[in-house]
Amino acid sequence: MIEKRPGLTVLSHVVLILGVLIVGFPLYITLVGSTQTSEQIAQSFPMSLVPGNNMLETYRTALFGGETEAGSRIPAAAPMMWVSLVSALVITIGKIAISLLSAFAIVYFRFPMRNLVFWMIFVTLMLPVEVRIGPTYEVVANLGMLNTYAGLTVPLIASATATFLFRQFFLTVPDELVEAARMDGAGPMRFFKDVLLPLSKTSIAALFVIQFIYGWNQYLWPLLVTTEESMYPVVMGIKRLISGDSYTEWNVVMATAILAMLPPALVVIFMQRWFVKGLVDTEK
């Protein structure tokens, strides 16, 4: 039974509206700033909250680069967004594929020290990236993977979190399905492809959203393994726009930030239903 109290309903709506304002106001400031000229932003304090009329020119400069009226050279964001997109997709698909197979092996195969293997994977959750970033960089450098997509993505593909989530889900699959598959003559990989993968669709969708955002927002690792401008992701591009020249074109910086937010936002919007359902199913 759910008790309805008008006061609590009003309070919950007020809290929700405050939350939306707190989250949405910085985005509005960024969007408005991207429609103004750099001179308007620099000369007005505080910055005007009214949209300007320089939106098309600012976004054209941010996307395709060029030289501004102030003499600043702006690198194109489009190639950087392509690098971010490829890296995010490879990291996401790789993490899901490896985690599915490792969880499948841990749950459905009987081999010595199976539990020890699982806990060794689980313990890596306690090691932050910064702890193992030095040895990982040395391995990548020795293999000649600097300034490559392989160097950007392969070291980030293994995921103990995804393995743990899939293992927990596989443990909830009834044994009757396994017995039925055996009676039908299905081998392990056919059982994996025809039974487990369809059942895991919502979990895969939820992890896809989480891991895509994780891969898209990577900054520290690309900062270490890339020295060529053609391999910079868009997050590094924003940082370079702020600290690259003596004069910062804030309107271009804000336009690039808006462009960088679009792909993750579109993934969340289009996969929202699957994302929520996957998280709820995982909790069960």
Side-chain angles (χ1 to χ4, degrees):
M1 177 179 177
I2 300 175
E3 187 177 358
K4 292 185 177 179
R5 294 182 181 179
L8 288 177
T9 303
V10 172
L11 179 63
S12 62
H13 280 79
V14 170
V15 171
L16 283 174
I17 291 171
L18 283 176
V20 170
L21 289 176
I22 291 172
V23 174
F25 187 67
L27 293 177
Y28 178 74
I29 290 287
T30 307
L31 183 62
V32 168
S34 68
T35 64
Q36 301 178 5
T37 63
S38 59
E39 290 79 11
Q40 287 176 318
I41 297 175
Q43 292 171 4
S44 60
F45 183 80
M47 192 183 82
S48 172
L49 297 181
V50 179
N53 55 4
N54 199 50
M55 182 174 181
L56 292 179
E57 178 62 22
T58 302
Y59 279 88
R60 187 197 64 78
T61 305
L63 263 178
F64 305 109
E67 190 165 329
T68 64
E69 294 180 358
S72 301
R73 190 184 71 84
I74 304 297
M80 292 186 282
M81 293 182 69
W82 174 253
V83 172
S84 294
L85 180 64
V86 172
S87 301
L89 287 176
V90 172
I91 291 172
T92 303
I93 296 172
K95 273 180 181 288
I96 291 174
I98 291 179
S99 302
L100 275 169
L101 292 173
S102 58
F104 176 58
I106 290 171
V107 174
Y108 290 100
F109 286 79
R110 301 291 182 266
F111 55 88
M113 296 188 291
R114 183 179 58 151
N115 288 329
L116 177 62
V117 171
F118 167 69
W119 285 110
M120 287 175 65
I121 296 173
F122 189 79
V123 163
T124 60
L125 285 174
M126 303 174 191
L127 296 175
V129 175
E130 291 77 8
V131 172
R132 48 191 165 86
I133 202 165
T136 308
Y137 174 81
E138 185 176 0
V139 171
V140 169
N142 291 336
L143 292 175
M145 293 163 60
L146 298 179
N147 293 309
T148 64
Y149 282 109
L152 278 172
T153 57
V154 172
L156 302 178
I157 281 180
S159 172
T161 306
T163 302
F164 176 73
L165 291 176
F166 282 126
R167 173 188 178 269
Q168 297 305 106
F169 175 72
F170 289 166
L171 289 175
T172 64
V173 175
D175 293 336
E176 288 78 4
L177 282 177
V178 182
E179 296 299 327
R182 283 177 181 164
M183 292 177 67
D184 286 342
M189 294 314 296
R190 185 180 168 193
F191 171 72
F192 175 75
K193 180 172 70 69
D194 293 342
V195 178
L196 285 184
L197 279 185
L199 290 176
S200 307
K201 279 182 180 177
T202 53
S203 299
I204 293 173
L207 274 173
F208 182 90
V209 174
I210 295 171
Q211 300 301 341
F212 183 86
I213 295 173
Y214 166 81
W216 182 272
N217 290 333
Q218 281 298 310
Y219 175 74
L220 179 60
W221 181 247
L223 185 66
L224 288 176
V225 298
T226 57
T227 54
E228 295 177 3
E229 191 171 337
S230 60
M231 293 304 297
Y232 287 162
V234 69
V235 178
M236 283 182 62
I238 296 173
K239 180 66 174 65
R240 290 181 66 226
L241 285 174
I242 295 174
S243 59
D245 295 328
S246 56
Y247 180 74
T248 301
E249 303 275 354
W250 284 107
N251 57 333
V252 180
V253 173
M254 295 182 187
T256 308
I258 291 292
L259 291 171
M261 283 189 289
L262 285 179
L266 290 175
V267 169
V268 172
I269 290 171
F270 285 121
M271 299 187 68
Q272 182 181 14
R273 185 169 62 88
W274 288 87
F275 176 63
V276 174
K277 195 170 185 298
L279 291 181
V280 173
D281 287 347
T282 301
E283 288 178 358
K284 288 179 180 177

